[in-house]
């Protein structure tokens, strides 16, 4: 029965994606990017663990997972419906109308300088974090490199590479790219490229590939074909699977042989442990449902409103709202170890995540189905505004979609936290730069036409 529910979930994703392509006639509408990730997390990953028998090593009684798969089916269904909620407006297409001809050259130059500044900040902070963690060799000799930071916000500063590359794309829109343009586009993304290659991280690899693809679309003002998008996603997916199988050795061949047969072994028995994403999702839903352990928005409130307050101003901020575990043991979702052991018999690995559906269930119980629909509606609304308004919404939509990997694979908080940081900075820089340039154009007084001079009358006429 679990396999049947999982297959139905996959059919739902494929069918609604096809309906969305028919309704929108746009190869870049939300589900084109989200569907492959949804299929991997909620179809491929569960099926490989159930059919191989590896799941029984962690959950001897798999009948107790029925709730998990019903939740996944309903959550994914609601999310996909939300993603195709809006239709494409007829006779309106401002997707690549980013700057327009009314902007002077100095505005484009100012945007390029601003993008380079953001890229330099990203690279400088990344270099500091590598040194702070223990140096280049210490960081990238690990199977899964991780950078420590003095604070959470400082550790996210390398994310400035993404608004930087989009601002460069806007500045170069409609122009022929020369060697210095390609070098600049590469330099601002150095932190993410290093983490994707030397670090062997699948998330940065997906983000880098999608960022350059979106930048190409903006610069050339060209809509890609569906075939191009599908082939590109397939190539990125194969590369991410190679990274998963080699754990960073793909770009570090001096440390061992490259396992190029990993793609052929997709259906081989996986290694299931307490840190597996599917196992963590099942354990979270089962334990939360058994003990009625839900936060009803308090955890998100603490993440987005209490967490930004510096600790020296409010040392006991988490204790005062009853979420002291966010300071002492943030990797276990606040569920005591005794409840984990009583419900599933093990404690999930610290820092592991199981996807946005399980995360929302921990927060809102079965009300998470409604939140899943609203999340899909957010993507659909951003897509519609990208088409009808263009300009700033071009950048915001691409940032929403590129960072969506954190939503599907990790949680709503992991996605929304980064989206808020990146989009707020992007909007502020856009309003300061582009609107300032347009105001300058509007303030230039039009040239007055010279008055017409009457021709002088000849004396013969008198």
């Amino acid at each position: 029965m679990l396999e049947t529910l999982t297959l139905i979930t996959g059919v739902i994703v494929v069918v609604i994606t096809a309906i969305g392509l028919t309704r929108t006639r746009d190869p870049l509408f939300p589900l084109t990017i989200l569907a492959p990730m949804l299929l991997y997390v909620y179809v491929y990953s569960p099926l490989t663990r159930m059919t191989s028998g590896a799941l029984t090593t962690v959950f001897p009684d798999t009948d107790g997972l029925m709730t998990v798969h019903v939740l996944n089916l309903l959550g994914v269904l609601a999310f996909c419906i939300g993603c195709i909620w809006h239709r494409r407006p007829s006779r309106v297409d401002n997707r690549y109308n980013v700057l327009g001809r009314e902007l002077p050259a100095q505005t484009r130059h100012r945007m390029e300088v601003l993008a380079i500044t953001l890229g330099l900040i990203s690279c400088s902070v990344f270099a500091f974090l590598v040194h702070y963690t223990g140096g280049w060799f210490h960081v990238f000799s690990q199977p899964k490199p991780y950078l420590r930071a003095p604070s959470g916000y400082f550790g996210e500063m390398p994310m400035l590479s993404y608004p930087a590359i989009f601002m460069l794309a806007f500045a170069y829109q409609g122009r022929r790219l020369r060697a210095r343009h390609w070098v600049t586009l590469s330099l601002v993304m150095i932190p993410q490229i290093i983490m994707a290659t030397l670090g062997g991280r699948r998330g940065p690899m997906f983000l880098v590939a999608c960022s350059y693809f979106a930048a190409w679309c903006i610069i050339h003002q060209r809509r890609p074909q569906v075939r191009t998008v599908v082939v590109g996603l397939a190539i990125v997916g194969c590369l991410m699977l190679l990274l998963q199988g080699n754990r960073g050795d793909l770009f570090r061949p001096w440390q061992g042989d490259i396992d190029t047969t990993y793609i052929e072994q997709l259906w081989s028995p996986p290694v299931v442990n307490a840190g597996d994403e599917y196992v963590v999702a099942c354990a979270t839903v089962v334990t939360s449902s058994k003990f009625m352990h839900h936060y009803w928005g308090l955890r998100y409130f603490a993440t987005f409103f209490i967490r930004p307050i510096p600790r020296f101003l409010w040392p006991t901020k988490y204790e005062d709202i009853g979420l002291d575990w966010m300071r002492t043991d943030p990797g276990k979702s606040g569920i005591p170890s005794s409840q984990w052991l009583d419900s599933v018999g093990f404690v999930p690995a610290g820092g592991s995540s199981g996807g946005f559906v399980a995360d929302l269930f921990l927060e809102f119980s079965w009300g998470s189905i409604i939140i899943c629909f609203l999340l899909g509606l957010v993507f659909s609304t951003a897509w519609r505004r990208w088409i009808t308004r263009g300009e700033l919404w071009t950048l915001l939509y691409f940032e929403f979609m590129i960072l969506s990997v954190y939503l599907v694979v990790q949680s709503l908080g992991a996605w929304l936290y980064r989206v808020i940081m990146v989009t707020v900075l992007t909007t502020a820089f856009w309003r300061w730069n582009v609107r300032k340039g347009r105001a300058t154009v509007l303030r230039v007084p039009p040239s007055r036409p010279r008055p017409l001079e009457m021709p002088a009358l000849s004396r013969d006429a008198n």
Side-chain angles (χ1 to χ4, degrees), residues 172-433:
Y172 301 156
Q173 187 182 52
R175 296 183 176 181
R176 182 179 180 181
L177 296 183
R178 303 185 182 275
R180 74 172 187 88
H181 298 143
W182 288 109
V183 171
T184 307
L185 288 169
S186 301
L187 288 178
V188 298
M189 291 292 289
I190 280 181
Q192 312 303 327
I193 294 175
I194 291 177
M195 292 301 294
T197 54
L198 293 180
R201 301 294 298 270
R202 291 173 294 167
M205 176 61 69
F206 176 82
L207 296 174
V208 168
C210 291
S211 296
Y212 277 112
F213 179 76
W216 180 87
C217 294
I218 294 173
I219 292 173
H220 295 279
Q221 298 176 281
R222 189 180 305 170
R223 185 183 67 180
Q225 298 179 354
V226 177
R227 180 177 57 186
T228 304
V229 176
V230 173
V231 172
L233 289 174
I235 294 174
V236 174
C238 292
L239 186 56
M240 292 174 68
L241 289 173
L242 283 174
L243 288 175
Q244 179 180 350
N246 292 275
R247 284 299 179 186
D249 293 335
L250 184 63
F251 294 95
R252 292 179 289 174
W254 59 86
Q255 293 192 3
D257 298 330
I258 302 301
D259 181 14
T260 57
T261 63
Y262 185 77
I263 298 180
E264 301 175 1
Q265 302 172 357
L266 291 179
W267 295 97
S268 61
V271 178
V272 178
N273 51 42
D276 183 82
E277 292 87 352
Y278 173 65
V279 172
V280 172
C282 293
T284 301
V285 174
V286 170
T287 305
S288 177
S289 177
K290 180 177 180 179
F291 292 97
M292 300 299 293
H293 190 105
H294 305 288
Y295 293 103
W296 305 110
L298 180 61
R299 184 172 55 124
Y300 288 154
F301 174 80
T303 299
F304 299 111
F305 296 99
I306 303 300
R307 182 183 176 185
I309 302 175
R311 187 169 298 175
F312 69 88
L313 294 178
W314 190 0
T316 60
K317 54 183 180 180
Y318 294 126
E319 289 81 355
D320 293 343
I321 61 175
L323 298 177
D324 55 310
W325 61 269
M326 296 188 72
R327 180 181 61 84
T328 59
D329 196 11
K332 296 181 181 177
S333 303
I335 299 178
S337 299
S338 58
Q339 294 184 2
W340 288 117
L341 296 173
D342 183 69
S343 59
V344 294
F346 64 91
V347 179
S352 54
S353 57
F356 72 102
V357 176
D359 178 73
L360 288 173
F361 183 83
L362 176 63
E363 193 74 25
F364 300 107
S365 184
W366 289 98
S368 58
I369 307 300
I370 300 176
I371 307 299
C372 288
F373 169 76
L374 295 178
L375 271 176
L377 189 62
V378 167
F379 283 100
S380 180
T381 303
W383 169 80
R384 182 179 175 86
R385 292 193 177 187
W386 173 40
I387 291 180
T388 57
R389 301 184 184 184
E391 298 190 345
L392 175 61
W393 278 99
T394 301
L395 184 126
L396 297 181
Y397 177 72
F398 279 125
E399 290 176 345
F400 271 44
M401 298 309 304
I402 288 173
L403 296 174
S404 64
V405 64
Y406 292 104
L407 173 67
V408 180
V409 178
Q410 295 187 15
S411 63
L412 171 62
W415 172 74
L416 191 57
Y417 172 73
R418 291 172 173 84
V419 164
I420 290 176
M421 184 187 72
V422 173
T423 56
V424 167
L425 291 175
T426 299
T427 304
F429 292 146
W430 177 276
R431 293 182 183 278
W432 172 77
N433 186 39

Side-chain angles (χ1 to χ4, degrees), residues 18-272:
I19 295 174
L21 282 172
T22 304
R23 286 165 55 96
T24 63
R25 305 182 305 280
D26 182 9
L28 292 180
F29 93 108
L31 276 184
T32 307
I33 310 299
L34 293 167
M37 293 186 285
L38 292 172
L39 291 174
Y40 179 83
V41 173
Y42 294 103
V43 181
Y44 166 75
S45 183
L47 281 179
T48 53
R49 283 141 183 82
M50 287 184 291
T51 56
S52 65
L55 189 62
T56 57
T57 61
V58 183
F59 298 102
D61 183 16
T62 56
D63 293 337
L65 303 181
M66 185 68 67
T67 302
V68 179
H69 286 266
V70 172
L71 174 69
N72 288 343
L73 190 152
L74 296 178
V76 170
L77 174 63
F79 179 76
C80 292
I81 291 176
C83 286
I84 66 168
W85 190 258
H86 290 298
R87 288 181 176 271
R88 179 177 176 177
S90 58
R91 300 180 181 180
V92 177
D93 192 353
N94 294 317
R95 284 175 294 180
Y96 301 109
N97 182 23
V98 181
L99 291 178
R101 296 182 178 180
E102 73 275 11
L103 288 179
Q106 64 180 5
T107 301
R108 290 178 177 262
H109 176 71
R110 189 164 55 242
M111 179 169 286
E112 182 181 14
V113 172
L114 178 60
I116 294 174
T117 303
L118 292 178
L120 290 176
I121 294 174
S122 174
C123 294
S124 302
V125 173
F126 177 76
F128 170 80
L129 293 177
V130 172
H131 176 74
Y132 184 81
T133 307
W136 293 87
F137 181 79
H138 173 76
V139 171
F140 295 104
S141 62
Q142 303 176 20
K144 190 175 182 180
Y146 176 79
L147 298 178
R148 293 188 296 110
S151 65
Y153 290 100
F154 190 78
E156 298 293 342
M157 292 298 286
M159 297 288 292
L160 293 177
S161 296
Y162 298 113
I165 191 174
F166 285 128
M167 288 184 181
L168 286 175
F170 296 157
Y172 301 156
Q173 187 182 52
R175 296 183 176 181
R176 182 179 180 181
L177 296 183
R178 303 185 182 275
R180 74 172 187 88
H181 298 143
W182 288 109
V183 171
T184 307
L185 288 169
S186 301
L187 288 178
V188 298
M189 291 292 289
I190 280 181
Q192 312 303 327
I193 294 175
I194 291 177
M195 292 301 294
T197 54
L198 293 180
R201 301 294 298 270
R202 291 173 294 167
M205 176 61 69
F206 176 82
L207 296 174
V208 168
C210 291
S211 296
Y212 277 112
F213 179 76
W216 180 87
C217 294
I218 294 173
I219 292 173
H220 295 279
Q221 298 176 281
R222 189 180 305 170
R223 185 183 67 180
Q225 298 179 354
V226 177
R227 180 177 57 186
T228 304
V229 176
V230 173
V231 172
L233 289 174
I235 294 174
V236 174
C238 292
L239 186 56
M240 292 174 68
L241 289 173
L242 283 174
L243 288 175
Q244 179 180 350
N246 292 275
R247 284 299 179 186
D249 293 335
L250 184 63
F251 294 95
R252 292 179 289 174
W254 59 86
Q255 293 192 3
D257 298 330
I258 302 301
D259 181 14
T260 57
T261 63
Y262 185 77
I263 298 180
E264 301 175 1
Q265 302 172 357
L266 291 179
W267 295 97
S268 61
V271 178
V272 178

